Amino acid sequence: MRKQTHPVMLFAAGFGTRMGALTADQPKPLVRVAGKPLIDHALDLVRDYGADRVVANLHYLPDLLEAHLADAGVALSHESPDILETGGGLRHALPVLGAGPVITMNTDAVWRGPNPLDHLAALWNPDKMDALLLCIPKPQAIGHAGVGDFMIKDDMRAKRGPGSIYSGVQIIKTNLLHDIPESSFSLNLLWDKMLAEDRLFATAYPGTWCDVGRPEGIKLAEDMLGWSDV
């Protein structure tokens, strides 16, 4: 029996300014790690998960990403003239994604361990959750120096504060997006609404994860994967 999956939104519109010269002439999702672009690492996980619908949002140097994804079976959501941030970008893509819960995924991280999308989907309970965030315990987060984003209670409810690091992957209901008047906004606004209703949840990833938001993250990710170009 074929498993039920959620549509996946890949966030690929950002300017990648923390990458410096590496993103002067290419968008960050095309920066290569372990021999292939970051967005292809994400797509490998999405394909293994088996999503029927996959959307990537584009803004910075979109023609390059559009050409790269031409044969990948990915629908494109162009953000123009302004970039819409995570919340506005997700809302803009809803005509393709549909009205139900979706998985959103940043494209600037590399994973080692179980497929994070499968891990998250197995724990999703729409009766009590409006969003389920996948977080990384600090000892398992490579290339990330922050204090953490969320604490996870015994019942999986999330609370903002120093603790686990948000991985950039979540399952989220999208109905609350329509209540926000701004065109460009962060998904943090939705999380705040869900926190107020005790419906924001989180779970810890059992593997390792590397943040590739900065140039030094490339080597860290390749070491994590045990990859060498020699």
Side-chain angles (χ1 to χ4, degrees), residues 148-162:
D149 305 297
F150 292 97
M151 294 176 283
I152 305 173
K153 300 178 183 179
D154 290 342
D155 64 358
M156 291 175 57
R157 282 184 167 83
K159 178 182 177 182
R160 287 193 188 273

Side-chain angles (χ1 to χ4, degrees), residues 27 30 39 56-72 74-76 78:
L30 293 183
I39 198 165
N57 64 340
L58 312 181
H59 177 78
Y60 177 61
L61 300 176
D63 292 349
L64 296 176
L65 265 173
E66 186 169 4
H68 182 75
L69 296 172
D71 299 318
V74 176
L76 305 178
H78 289 269

Side-chain angles (χ1 to χ4, degrees), residues 63-145:
D63 292 349
L64 296 176
L65 265 173
E66 186 169 4
H68 182 75
L69 296 172
D71 299 318
V74 176
L76 305 178
S77 178
H78 289 269
E79 298 180 12
S80 178
D82 299 316
I83 196 167
L84 300 175
E85 298 188 60
T86 51
L90 178 57
R91 185 170 63 190
H92 186 66
L94 288 183
V96 181
L97 289 166
V102 303
I103 291 176
T104 74
M105 186 175 195
N106 293 350
T107 54
D108 58 356
V110 174
W111 304 74
R112 189 185 70 190
N115 189 317
L117 310 186
D118 283 325
H119 181 76
L120 199 63
L123 297 171
W124 172 246
N125 182 347
D127 292 335
K128 66 178 183 179
M129 300 174 178
D130 284 342
L132 176 61
L133 315 183
L134 188 56
C135 294
I136 312 295
K138 283 188 285 186
Q140 296 154 225
I142 299 170
H144 190 97

Side-chain angles (χ1 to χ4, degrees), residues 23 65-67 102 133 150 161 192-193 196 211 220 222 226:
T23 50
L65 265 173
E66 186 169 4
V102 303
L133 315 183
F150 292 97
D192 287 342
K193 291 175 180 287
D211 181 357
L220 292 172
E222 290 174 346

Side-chain angles (χ1 to χ4, degrees), residues 137-204:
K138 283 188 285 186
Q140 296 154 225
I142 299 170
H144 190 97
V147 298
D149 305 297
F150 292 97
M151 294 176 283
I152 305 173
K153 300 178 183 179
D154 290 342
D155 64 358
M156 291 175 57
R157 282 184 167 83
K159 178 182 177 182
R160 287 193 188 273
S164 294
I165 296 155
Y166 174 56
S167 70
V169 175
Q170 66 175 331
I171 299 178
I172 188 168
K173 294 179 181 176
T174 59
N175 53 300
L176 292 176
L177 289 167
H178 303 291
D179 298 336
I180 297 175
E182 295 87 356
S183 59
S184 177
F185 59 94
S186 168
L187 282 172
N188 275 292
L189 293 183
L190 262 69
W191 292 348
D192 287 342
K193 291 175 180 287
M194 295 170 184
L195 280 166
E197 299 294 329
D198 245 1
R199 292 185 62 86
L200 184 70
F201 287 73
T203 186

Side-chain angles (χ1 to χ4, degrees), residues 10 37-49 54 68-69 72-74 105 107:
L10 297 174
L38 276 166
I39 198 165
D40 288 357
H41 286 273
L43 282 171
D44 285 347
L45 295 171
V46 170
R47 289 171 180 139
D48 180 70
Y49 169 66
V54 186
H68 182 75
L69 296 172
V74 176
M105 186 175 195
T107 54

